[in-house]
Amino acid sequence: KMAATYGMEVIKLTMDCVTVENQLECIDKLEEMNVCGIMLVPIENQRIRERINRLPESVPVITFNSDISGTKRMCFVGNDHIMAGRTAGQLMSIVVRESGKIALLISQMDFLPHVERIHGFGKVLEEERGGEIEMIGPYMTYESEERAFSIVKDLIHREEDLVGIYMAGGGQQAAARALAQSGKAGKIHMICHDMLPETIHYLKERVVDFTIGQEAFMQGYMPVEIFRDYHMFGRKPKLGRLFTGIDIRSMIEGARDMDMRCKTDDVMCNPALLDAGLMYIAMQKKGANMSVMMPYADSLKLMADWYAQLWAESLGKNVTLDGQPCNVGQTPIKTLGVTDQHSQLQLYTEGPF
């Protein structure tokens, strides 16, 4: 719609199967049609690189969603995929508490965004969880829903200690469907990318823990504006890489859902009320007057600081509501796993209480 506003015509070519030969054919067709610019999601391949560099100066190339090095492309528009992968890794580190295996799925090894995502994902888990997590794969789906379903179904059946699935791309809807049908959603955690309708459905059904958006609309919108500025005013973008944002949809959905759950009077359905009741029983009936908060992700370290401040300030009292002296309250202790686990956990679980 925006292109039409600028008096530009957009010709869209799609590939039923993403291969080097098919992409080369698309570039050839566009050049034959005398287009004044090409928006391309390139495959990381030397033949594609050489073909881009053979295009005349009158046909500038903007890569979007995926980039390719060593070309004369004007700029790249899309996600910082390494950062998106790191975000996924931090989220997986939060939801997976136990040790085990995490399967990595991508479309294919010559599609740079997926390779960069699993690189960022793996680095974070290595930094935060050390040897607790074993990553297996990557398994290639080649953008086939049927293949993605089969791979995930087989992994769930074969790998007894599978605790997570990271869909860096290529068949996330089918992968979620396989996990849902296995009955192990929640025990095996899944994180994927993109705000596709079926993915959002499985997010709401608690099959998918998180899905990470990449502002797909902006990836289509921005290149059209860049082409307009180039052809009308001779302006090129000042930066070679223009990054779109990272949208963590399930954070919003989860906050909204938790807000609703914490408004009910049913103690078994209200996690905040249930936790408060258990804490009260632990202190009043069991004499447990210390409360330990131990997040296992460095990114949640400040959550323990917030908890300690909230718990101590709210519950430390020296008089009751009717003015009688009492001197009560649990002492909050902030720690960080895995570091403090090795030095302090035995005391918390086996020491005096």
Side-chain angles (χ1 to χ4, degrees):
K1 291 182 179 180
M2 187 191 68
T5 302
Y6 296 149
M8 301 165 65
E9 179 187 0
V10 174
I11 301 168
K12 181 180 178 182
L13 299 183
T14 59
M15 297 176 286
D16 293 331
C17 184
V18 182
T19 66
V20 172
E21 294 299 333
N22 286 345
Q23 189 157 94
L24 289 170
E25 183 180 343
C26 287
I27 297 173
D28 290 342
K29 285 182 180 180
L30 290 170
E31 185 177 11
E32 290 171 5
M33 297 169 71
N34 294 316
V35 297
C36 60
I38 295 177
M39 292 170 53
L40 182 68
V41 182
I43 298 172
E44 177 64 31
N45 179 271
Q46 183 59 25
R47 293 173 65 196
I48 299 295
R49 185 177 289 106
E50 292 172 353
R51 185 66 184 89
I52 293 172
N53 288 335
R54 287 201 307 271
L55 288 168
E57 294 298 324
S58 59
V59 186
V61 173
I62 296 176
T63 59
F64 70 106
N65 187 252
S66 177
D67 201 7
I68 184 169
S69 61
T71 67
K72 62 179 184 180
R73 60 106 170 107
M74 183 183 293
C75 69
F76 162 74
V77 176
N79 247 185
D80 181 337
H81 295 293
I82 293 178
M83 183 58 67
R86 290 187 64 87
T87 300
Q90 289 169 339
L91 294 172
M92 187 67 83
S93 181
I94 292 169
V95 296
V96 171
R97 302 296 185 184
E98 64 274 37
S99 60
K101 296 177 180 177
I102 294 177
L104 310 175
L105 278 77
I106 65 175
S107 61
Q108 55 199 75
M109 287 303 295
D110 54 6
F111 190 57
L112 189 59
H114 298 175
V115 175
E116 289 184 337
R117 285 173 185 171
I118 62 173
H119 174 73
F121 181 86
K123 289 291 288 183
V124 165
L125 285 179
E126 182 181 336
E127 293 164 4
E128 296 198 353
R129 300 297 293 274
E132 290 184 59
I133 299 296
E134 177 187 354
M135 282 169 282
I136 57 175
Y139 302 93
M140 267 68 77
T141 67
Y142 299 103
E143 299 290 339
S144 166
E145 294 285 305
E146 182 179 348
R147 183 176 174 83
F149 182 92
S150 177
I151 290 172
V152 171
K153 181 180 178 180
D154 179 65
L155 283 168
I156 293 172
H157 176 73
R158 188 179 73 244
E159 303 290 347
E160 293 184 0
D161 53 351
L162 186 67
V163 294
I165 299 170
Y166 177 43
M167 291 295 304
Q172 52 265 56
Q173 303 101 307
R177 188 161 63 250
L179 179 56
Q181 291 180 12
S182 74
K184 293 188 176 182
K187 295 180 180 179
I188 298 175
H189 300 278
M190 178 177 285
I191 294 177
C192 56
H193 292 261
D194 297 322
M195 303 302 178
L196 302 171
E198 195 171 353
T199 305
I200 297 298
H201 165 75
Y202 283 117
L203 180 67
K204 293 179 178 178
E205 292 295 316
R206 304 181 187 280
V207 175
V208 172
D209 291 81
F210 296 95
T211 187
I212 301 171
Q214 54 180 325
E215 292 194 320
F217 176 84
M218 293 303 296
Q219 292 187 33
Y221 181 94
M222 291 170 64
V224 174
E225 281 201 324
I226 293 168
F227 278 137
R228 178 206 61 179
D229 290 348
Y230 176 71
H231 287 295
M232 293 181 66
F233 309 110
R235 292 199 299 257
K236 290 185 178 181
K238 294 180 179 180
L239 300 176
R241 306 189 79 188
L242 306 175
F243 291 130
T244 54
I246 296 174
D247 174 14
I248 308 174
R249 181 63 55 88
S250 57
M251 289 288 196
I252 301 170
E253 296 289 344
R256 184 182 298 114
D257 177 69
M258 187 58 68
D259 180 59
M260 294 300 297
R261 292 173 65 188
C262 291
K263 289 178 179 178
T264 179
D265 293 333
D266 185 342
V267 67
M268 299 308 295
C269 295
N270 185 329
L273 185 58
L274 178 62
D275 182 65
L278 292 173
M279 287 289 190
Y280 177 82
I281 293 171
M283 185 175 71
Q284 296 296 105
K285 305 296 183 181
K286 301 293 184 179
N289 63 350
M290 292 183 290
S291 173
V292 180
M293 169 69 78
M294 183 182 287
Y296 273 78
D298 289 347
S299 55
L300 290 178
K301 183 178 184 298
L302 294 178
M303 181 68 74
D305 293 332
W306 169 82
Y307 171 79
Q309 185 273 331
L310 178 69
W311 208 248
E313 186 177 34
S314 300
L315 300 183
K317 307 295 181 184
N318 63 357
V319 293
T320 63
L321 290 175
D322 59 2
Q324 300 299 313
C326 60
N327 300 107
V328 297
Q330 279 184 325
T331 299
I333 301 172
K334 56 183 182 181
T335 60
L336 179 66
V338 174
T339 304
D340 293 333
Q341 171 182 311
H342 297 301
S343 60
Q344 301 175 31
L345 191 59
Q346 182 174 329
L347 173 64
Y348 298 146
T349 57
E350 300 179 19
F353 59 89

